[in-house]
Amino acid sequence: MSSPSQVRVRGPLEAFAPGFADELRGLGYTPVSAVFQLQLMAHASRWLREAGLGPDALTGDVVERFVAERRAAGYTNYVTVRAMAPLLGYLRAIGVAPAPLRLQPATPAGRLLERFGEYLTIERGVADGTVVDYVHAVRPFVDAIGGGEERDLQSLTAADVTAFVVARCPCQSRGAAKMTVTALRSLLGFLHVEGLIARSLVGAVPSAASWRLSGLPRALEPEQVRRLLDSCDRSARTGRRDFAILTMLVRLGLRAGEVAGLTLEDVDWRAGELVVVGKGRRAERLPLPVDVGEAITSYLRDGRPASAQDRSLFVRVKAPHRGLTSAGVSQVVVSAGRRAGLGQIHAHRLRHSAATQMLRAGGSLEEIGQVLRHRAALTTAIYAKVDRDALRGLARPWPGARS
């Protein structure tokens, strides 16, 4: 069966099958994928009829029961709640199925962390991804002090805070330790503002040991960059999209999240510029190199689906064609690295590669910092280590060596 019109839906969901088929078509599902979705709808409709239920009974518990019985009946595909998302999304959008209930945290720790997350979002304007990271980082601390009970918070001391950091951070990587102390300071500030602790304990959080500029940026060599770009099959839609993403990362040194956040309006073709929203939600304009513009143009003409669901510049290849996430951009780089035989390559390594290439082409550290949008010049200074020609002039001869 290869045509959605051949799927027969009987039961409580029958009246909604034509609309669901149209929805799938609009979202960019292929006929075969749409058939699978409609077959799932047909099974769910039969199950509801046999249970004496209507579409208004499709709560979270009922959906769980359905997929469990579907698995028990021997089905191997579309047997999870996640697989029901397209159907449930459509039925909820037209007001037939009930909206999902927002689960309240069941423990004091969960409720405290939820309030902390809301504080970061609303009061501090922190990005969603950073909120998730902060909440995850302080969860062990909340558990360690008694799970967020108010009576335990009132007895919290500076010694408790310091002891936690001293015990936890040595077991973490340098980056994770820095995240722990940063998030913990935010949490303690929140507890003080909310009146849950009598005085601020932010000063009790020791700094995580960090040696700035101690490492070397791990850039790819030009030959490796070429292999990475050549791994994209530009005769296919996926290859054109991936090539445009990789070219942008390599030439402009964007972060994965910045690429994912680009919209069609962010490409100013007339001015030859790209509007990038970076850390702190700061919007800045970068020059659009010719090769980057050509790669984007090729993707927009022959790669970006007409059924794209939003104005994101880069969208998913598979339906529904929504904008790529930061993780999706990172996966593009990882997949290209494997195809090129370079092993595990992460998106941030291409940022180092872009900076290193600019330095080798004669760019100054100040110019590189402007392209990478570093707030402090010290952040860019690490690339001085890879400027071997400049370092050679500073190196002193080895004692006793021949000149």
Side-chain angles (χ1 to χ4, degrees), residues 115 150 153-154 188-199:
R115 288 171 58 190
E150 287 199 23
L153 293 172
Q154 291 168 0
L188 293 171
F190 159 74
L191 295 177
H192 185 229
V193 168
E194 292 289 303
L196 297 174
I197 54 177
R199 62 190 182 89

Side-chain angles (χ1 to χ4, degrees), residues 32 35 90 152 228-229 254 368 380:
V32 173
V35 165
Y90 172 71
D152 297 316
L228 195 73
L229 296 175
L254 301 188
I368 293 170
T380 316

Side-chain angles (χ1 to χ4, degrees), residues 46-321:
R46 294 194 304 271
W47 185 85
L48 288 171
R49 182 178 59 189
E50 293 167 2
L53 301 173
D56 59 340
L58 285 171
T59 61
D61 291 340
V62 171
V63 173
E64 288 276 9
R65 281 171 48 201
F66 165 66
V67 295
E69 293 189 23
R70 182 173 167 85
R71 288 193 296 269
Y75 288 89
T76 57
N77 295 322
Y78 299 89
V79 291
T80 64
V81 173
R82 183 177 179 182
M84 293 284 290
L87 174 59
L88 291 175
Y90 172 71
L91 295 176
R92 287 166 180 166
I94 62 176
V96 174
L101 294 176
R102 185 173 181 271
L103 298 178
Q104 297 295 327
T107 64
R111 290 190 287 272
L112 177 67
L113 290 173
E114 182 179 55
R115 288 171 58 190
F116 175 51
E118 292 173 350
Y119 162 79
L120 291 174
T121 300
I122 298 171
E123 300 296 333
R124 302 296 301 276
V126 177
D128 293 342
T130 305
V131 171
V132 172
D133 292 339
Y134 274 35
V135 169
H136 177 73
V138 300
R139 188 180 297 275
F141 175 75
V142 174
D143 292 338
I145 61 175
E149 294 280 4
E150 287 199 23
R151 62 177 179 273
D152 297 316
L153 293 172
Q154 291 168 0
S155 62
L156 187 64
T157 67
D160 296 329
V161 174
T162 303
F164 171 80
V165 175
V166 170
R168 182 166 180 78
C169 287
C171 306
Q172 297 181 294
S173 66
R174 186 172 61 187
K178 291 175 67 175
M179 172 59 73
T180 293
V181 299
T182 301
L184 184 55
R185 289 183 183 122
S186 290
L187 175 66
L188 293 171
F190 159 74
L191 295 177
H192 185 229
V193 168
E194 292 289 303
L196 297 174
I197 54 177
R199 62 190 182 89
S200 175
L201 297 176
V202 173
V205 182
S207 298
S210 177
W211 292 269
R212 291 185 65 91
L213 310 180
S214 60
L216 273 174
R218 295 186 61 204
L220 296 179
E221 293 299 322
E223 171 62 19
Q224 293 175 312
V225 171
R226 185 192 62 77
R227 286 165 55 191
L228 195 73
L229 296 175
D230 288 348
S231 73
C232 300
D233 179 9
R234 283 184 272 171
S235 65
R237 285 170 40 180
T238 304
R240 283 190 284 271
R241 183 202 65 181
D242 292 356
F243 180 78
I245 290 174
L246 293 171
T247 303
M248 188 173 289
L249 292 169
V250 167
R251 293 284 279 117
L252 296 175
L254 301 188
R255 303 176 180 92
E258 294 168 347
V259 174
L262 290 172
T263 66
L264 295 174
E265 289 75 20
D266 289 333
V267 185
D268 188 339
W269 297 105
R270 188 176 298 276
E273 294 178 334
L274 192 68
V275 180
V276 180
V277 179
K279 287 187 174 181
R281 298 179 181 175
R282 295 186 307 167
E284 299 179 83
R285 303 181 77 90
L286 291 178
L288 183 65
V290 173
D291 55 345
V292 176
E294 289 175 345
I296 295 174
T297 301
S298 175
Y299 167 65
L300 293 178
R301 286 177 175 170
D302 302 307
R304 190 175 186 274
S307 55
Q309 298 302 294
D310 53 36
R311 301 291 290 174
S312 297
L313 179 59
F314 298 110
V315 300
R316 288 161 39 99
V317 173
K318 293 183 178 180
H321 297 137

